[in-house]
Amino acid sequence: MTHLLRFLLVCASAVLALGCTRQAEEPSKPNAPGAAAKVEANRDMEDVLVVLLDKGNPLLIDLTTLQVTRPLALPGGAVAMSLDRDADRLWFLTRGTGELVSFDTRDDEPDEHLAIGRGGDSLAVDGRKAFLTFTHQGIKHVELIDLDDLQERQQWLAGPALNVVLAPRSKALVATQPRDHQILVMDQQTGQVEKLLDTRERGLKPTTLAVSNDGKQVAVALAYGNTVLILDENLNVQNQIPTGEVPDQLSFSEDDEWLAVVLKRSHAVQILDTDTDAVVKEWALPRDCQTPVFGPRDKKLILLCGQTLQVFDTTTGEHTGSLSLPASPKAAYALRRPVVQAIAATPAQ
């Protein structure tokens, strides 16, 4: 009996020890090769919003605290900006000085100043090519500038276009002509018109455009059709998504699975699923809200409203904060990047 009891006690101890060992091993599961480095890397990442204002310098905003961290040093401010994600560069068209200035998104330092001698309405940079639009006597012009040779320029007319975007995967510029209910597709090197898409069978007045992050789709708002058209990589109509009243400003999510649409007449914003066409979320907005911007990893939706930013949680649907700005925001880009830290001076010994 004593031997049997002793044997059972030994077995019980072994089972308990095995259980404790397994419990001790469980937390170490994430510490597989590379996991510790990933956790450490995540701690050193920050989510920031770069906001272009209609007056003054662009601002950097910490999206975790929703606080302005610092302005970017651009005397006089800028009228347009473009993000070249492949090169980690933010490009600005300065106000009044006719310069293109680029900033490295990893350290917020200007690294290139190019005097182009012209202002403009919008800017798109793809590698070492800049596409600038400007309006003269009601006619939209597009200028292609070689950033390695500023004398190498081409210019062409985009007619009475309202908006022009660069579709880099398609090697084309896409423009909306709301008065004629047309979408214009132009070769990005020559400006030659490759196709005209008439929207009247689907809806009237094509206005704003958005290019997906993978460059394979272009969304076009039809203001008087309560519809968004999705163009494929060949810039043919791939899908037609119904929206609320008078869709206006558009933005793709980081993974391109969602499309945010600001509704002018409804004073609301919808998030649409680009695969199922379903409305994922919808929020009422103040009357002066315009551009939607998805935060990194699509966890936040930021709206530029009047002189404020309004922030919504895309998971819970809650309005999570607002931030007053010194001037009206014109455009914004959200970035997830390594933390930019100031280097402290070494104390004298």
Side-chain angles (χ1 to χ4, degrees):
M1 183 72 178
T2 304
H3 290 295
L4 178 60
L5 182 60
R6 189 173 298 165
F7 175 76
L8 291 173
L9 286 171
V10 169
C11 289
S13 299
V15 170
L16 287 171
L18 181 59
C20 292
T21 302
R22 284 180 177 170
Q23 286 179 356
E25 288 173 352
E26 286 297 330
S28 67
K29 207 169 182 181
N31 294 332
K38 183 183 276 189
V39 170
E40 193 63 35
N42 285 338
R43 288 177 188 158
D44 295 330
M45 300 297 285
E46 63 178 354
D47 294 343
V48 299
L49 189 73
V50 185
V51 181
L52 180 70
L53 302 176
D54 65 354
K55 295 177 184 177
N57 288 330
L59 299 178
L60 283 171
I61 294 168
D62 186 322
L63 282 175
T64 303
T65 62
L66 205 58
Q67 297 292 322
V68 176
T69 55
R70 56 191 168 277
L72 290 177
L74 277 174
V79 295
M81 70 174 175
S82 175
L83 175 62
D84 186 350
R85 292 186 185 274
D86 292 338
D88 292 315
R89 291 287 183 275
L90 264 171
W91 286 89
F92 293 91
L93 177 61
T94 59
R95 180 178 285 108
T97 62
E99 273 191 317
L100 286 177
V101 181
S102 75
F103 283 77
D104 189 322
T105 60
R106 295 161 295 189
D107 61 15
D108 302 333
E109 293 297 325
D111 55 11
E112 202 165 0
H113 292 256
L114 302 175
I116 62 171
R118 173 183 296 289
D121 306 320
S122 69
L123 173 68
V125 177
D126 181 25
R128 299 302 294 173
K129 303 290 184 184
F131 297 86
L132 185 73
T133 68
F134 62 95
T135 305
H136 179 65
Q137 295 182 345
I139 301 297
K140 187 80 75 175
H141 297 248
V142 178
E143 186 165 28
L144 168 60
I145 303 173
D146 186 328
L147 298 181
D148 292 319
D149 183 359
L150 299 183
Q151 304 305 313
E152 188 69 30
R153 301 187 182 199
Q154 298 180 59
Q155 191 180 121
W156 56 85
L157 301 180
L162 178 66
N163 287 295
V164 180
V165 296
L166 173 66
R169 287 288 293 264
S170 308
K171 303 297 182 186
L173 293 165
V174 184
T176 53
Q177 295 185 331
R179 189 175 66 191
D180 299 323
H181 314 295
Q182 290 180 333
I183 301 167
L184 186 70
V185 178
M186 299 174 288
D187 182 276
Q188 71 175 33
Q189 297 296 329
T190 65
Q192 182 177 348
V193 176
E194 296 184 329
K195 67 174 72 174
L196 279 171
L197 302 175
D198 193 297
T199 70
R200 276 173 281 203
E201 289 185 0
R202 303 174 185 272
L204 304 179
K205 200 176 180 183
T207 53
T208 56
L209 306 115
V211 181
S212 62
N213 291 292
D214 64 7
K216 294 181 179 180
Q217 296 177 309
V218 177
V220 186
L222 301 185
Y224 295 159
N226 298 339
T227 294
V228 170
L229 298 182
I230 304 295
L231 309 184
D232 62 18
E233 195 170 348
N234 297 315
L235 300 174
N236 296 314
V237 177
Q238 172 184 301
N239 194 12
Q240 180 173 341
I241 305 177
T243 69
E245 292 188 86
V246 190
D248 189 35
Q249 301 291 329
L250 309 168
S251 178
F252 279 95
S253 62
E254 191 174 86
D255 60 10
D256 295 325
E257 292 182 3
W258 289 345
L259 181 71
V261 184
V262 172
L263 306 172
K264 251 185 172 179
R265 184 167 295 167
S266 305
H267 306 301
V269 60
Q270 291 178 328
I271 293 180
L272 307 176
D273 187 306
T274 55
D275 288 329
T276 66
D277 302 349
V279 176
V280 178
K281 290 280 190 304
E282 183 168 354
W283 295 278
L285 296 175
R287 288 177 175 272
D288 54 358
C289 286
Q290 40 174 333
T291 308
V293 181
F294 281 96
R297 298 165 294 167
D298 302 329
K299 292 186 175 182
K300 301 179 192 293
L301 181 68
I302 303 106
L303 273 298
L304 313 186
C305 303
Q307 281 191 219
T308 69
L309 299 180
Q310 303 296 327
V311 183
F312 297 88
D313 187 307
T314 58
T315 303
T316 65
E318 294 179 358
H319 177 260
T320 57
S322 61
L323 176 66
S324 295
L325 300 172
S328 297
K330 294 179 61 178
Y333 286 114
L335 304 171
R336 181 164 175 78
R337 66 182 193 177
V339 173
V340 177
Q341 296 178 334
I343 300 174
T346 304
Q349 300 295 325

